[in-house]
Amino acid sequence: MTVRVTLVSAAMGSALREARFDDGGPLEPAGLRQAEQAAGALPAAARAYASPSPRCAATAAALGLRAEPAPALAGCAMGRWTGLTLAEVAAAEGAAVARWLSDPAAAPHGGESLLDLFARVAGWLDALPGDVASGRGPVVAVVEPDVVRAAALHALGVPGPAFWRLDVPPLSVTELTGRSGRWNVRWGRPAGG
């Protein structure tokens, strides 16, 4: 049985615009309008999920989805760096940022390592065939960009350092289809297009 998963990256919020580690801020008004304009453009799904962040929940609602919160789809927990910009952290903890950017097992911020994020998202994806087999059908999930990256790396079987080479624009759609542990990825079309 083929599993179909549509991942939608959340609409623009201030943390994303400011290159700040997300602190649970809301959508920007322009991001909310863009999500509302894209409502109805997503493929039909039997189940909808959203990362537990306010930005993802608001994006899902604006898209017209009744999304269940999915803790496994939370963005990477950034510990003491939460709410800070990358520039602020780099100025204060340059060596720690360099380690974090080069070693997926590192978590110098006291939060979650990228490997932990990858494992959590992979576990969620790998559990989906059972949902589909039980008649639940295609899935749509509104998630943070780092979750899209983690899912794509898992689907493609690509090593962790490639995480930094994937750009995920706000309100872009990444579609995963798979069966028997083999995934295909359709990358980055706009949610409204």
Side-chain angles (χ1 to χ4, degrees), residues 119-148:
R120 179 167 43 83
V121 172
W124 183 82
L125 280 172
D126 291 345
L128 286 177
D131 280 356
V132 173
S134 65
R136 293 191 174 148
V139 171
V140 172
V142 178
V143 297
E144 297 294 346
D146 56 350
V147 173
V148 175

Side-chain angles (χ1 to χ4, degrees), residues 1-147:
M1 175 164 287
T2 299
V3 178
R4 297 186 189 285
V5 181
T6 301
L7 300 173
V8 181
S9 62
M12 183 62 76
S14 61
L16 184 59
R17 182 175 306 287
E18 298 166 5
R20 184 168 29 90
F21 295 106
D22 196 13
D23 57 359
L27 290 179
E28 291 184 347
L32 179 60
R33 280 192 304 277
Q34 290 170 339
E36 289 170 342
Q37 290 169 354
L42 295 173
R47 296 186 63 110
Y49 298 96
S51 166
S53 74
R55 194 166 79 104
C56 289
T59 300
L63 289 169
L65 300 172
R66 288 187 168 165
E68 298 176 40
L73 298 178
C76 191
M78 297 308 298
R80 71 176 179 280
W81 293 356
T82 300
L84 300 174
T85 66
L86 182 57
E88 290 169 336
V89 175
E93 301 182 52
V97 170
R99 190 168 71 251
W100 177 66
L101 291 172
S102 64
D103 180 3
H109 43 66
E112 184 177 35
S113 74
L114 292 179
L115 290 182
D116 291 337
L117 171 68
F118 299 161
R120 179 167 43 83
V121 172
W124 183 82
L125 280 172
D126 291 345
L128 286 177
D131 280 356
V132 173
S134 65
R136 293 191 174 148
V139 171
V140 172
V142 178
V143 297
E144 297 294 346
D146 56 350
V147 173

